[in-house]
Amino acid sequence: MNKYPHSTRILVALDCIVFGFDGEELKLLLIKRNFEPEQGKWSLMGGFLEEEEDLEVATNRILYDLTGLKDIYFEEIKTFGKVNRDPVERTLSICFFALINIHAHNQDSAKAQNAYWVDLKNRPNLIFDHNQMVDLALEELRYKAALHPIGFELLPEQFTIPQLQKLYEAIYDSPLDRRNFSRKILSTNLLIDTGEKNQNSTTKKAILYKLDKEKYQSKFNAFHYFISDSMR
Amino acid sequence: MNKYPHSTRILVALDCIVFGFDGEELKLLLIKRNFEPEQGKWSLMGGFLEEEEDLEVATNRILYDLTGLKDIYFEEIKTFGKVNRDPVERTLSICFFALINIHAHNQDSAKAQNAYWVDLKNRPNLIFDHNQMVDLALEELRYKAALHPIGFELLPEQFTIPQLQKLYEAIYDSPLDRRNFSRKILSTNLLIDTGEKNQNSTTKKAILYKLDKEKYQSKFNAFHYFISDSMR
DNA sequence: TTTAATTGTGTAAATTTAACACAATTATTT
DNA sequence: AAATAATTGTGTTAAATTTACACAATTAAA
């Protein structure tokens, strides 16, 4: 097997923006680096693509190491490739974002990576071009969530419509009309009434829904217009 | 400057799907390979990311070498990273699509690369995973063009609404209602009436429009819903 | 039992979309 | 010169959707 003789091999990293939702605010799972380079500073979770490892496998490995979860929803955003973006050595970064249920991930995995949930709005400064990556990820999340039902990935198995609304309000940092939102969501037919009601409520208890996984799969690529253009 | 000692450096290629429109059909600019590997077979235009070259610069270099054009509209799609996707040596491919005005590019540049315009519908089989790349690129083009005014990138400076409609019909391989299409396009206020009319017509001459570049820039990220969901 | 907060559902006006018809223009044919 | 055929520009109406609201029901706490 002949190799390509005249070309340069380059380090390839994967960096992931992990979003979570605590019921009130959008959160990021960030690393307080206890290793070099840039020890002590904050960064995204990342890792290098290994010798005999498919790119997809590497992505799942990195997400698993951080969260202890498999089959996480993620989406590739962009490859960052400025020559000097990493001062140690030239490194490409294939950047993606992931959405997880903040209560489902393994705390020990996060602890092992020295990872902490941080409010998106009050996030610390990050190393290298990681700030730009987060900005872009938020943009992409907003774009995608306006049209496709990816928001559910951030919620627990069962959730109420008011919870879902709070999530969308957090994503777009804008208030939404309760009545119109509810109608829009229900009209997608993606929700199944579980018959149960939210217990931890101090006033009227809201209906608990779960996602209709089959319809979610089959209608995922349809447009839903959850959020109007003016809102984004 | 310390290097990262234990990690693997990998070959990184860029492969681009170049779309064009001849007034009737969507076209692809493909390479009839007169070099190894896979000499004689068809492939996408590509190239390796070089040592001291920004990723963005490499993309523009490859597009320039193929078309003689600068400032081409392009969009990154995905990085293909299966270990064995290139049998010669492990190679990542950062894949993107580009839209050009088929009449504006430099024929000599294309000839130098042994590149030919091919009907998207009757395209030859391509090497490696390039077929998948084209499939994905078409999907992304359809997705993006349903919401954002990228179609104009495929047309000459001046164009008529019937021409534009033919383009959209080619992209979605579906007929569109002439009257509703015209209304939808005009309501974006992205078109400027040049006052001139299409000359090479055997019947009623259509109005020639040009793009309002300022509005195009500023409203690019707004949603336009050029194509309804059921159409895609 | 009242109160306050929240949830579920309804309604009417405005806007947008979908489906369709007709008049105007131009090269070609009669 | 008039008729023809193909194509273009614009208009209309009904249906569907969105927007901006109001009201009744539920629940824990006062």
Side-chain angles (χ1 to χ4, degrees), chain B residues 122-160:
Chain B
N122 302 317
R123 71 186 133 115
N125 195 40
L126 306 178
I127 66 165
F128 302 169
D129 45 9
H130 289 199
N131 291 305
Q132 275 172 263
M133 292 175 178
V134 172
D135 291 342
L136 186 61
L138 178 60
E139 218 173 89
E140 287 296 312
L141 172 60
R142 285 178 170 170
Y143 186 83
K144 203 72 194 268
L147 296 167
H148 303 283
I150 61 176
F152 302 109
E153 303 288 346
L154 289 161
L155 294 177
E157 277 284 303
Q158 303 206 344
F159 53 86
T160 68

Side-chain angles (χ1 to χ4, degrees), chain B residues 22-36:
Chain B
D22 67 356
E24 295 296 330
E25 295 294 336
L26 267 189
K27 301 278 200 170
L28 285 178
L29 190 50
L30 296 177
I31 306 288
K32 179 90 177 178
R33 296 170 73 90
N34 51 12
F35 52 89
E36 289 296 346

Side-chain angles (χ1 to χ4, degrees), chain A residues 8 21 26 33 106 117-118 121 133 136 145 164 191-192 195-198 200-201 203 210 228-229:
Chain A
T8 314
F21 179 62
L26 266 189
R33 297 169 73 89
N106 183 324
W117 286 105
V118 171
K121 284 183 175 172
M133 291 176 179
L136 186 61
L164 187 61
L191 299 197
I192 298 173
E196 295 176 72
K197 294 201 166 189
N198 195 16
N200 53 344
S201 163
T203 62
K210 62 178 181 182
S228 70
D229 195 5

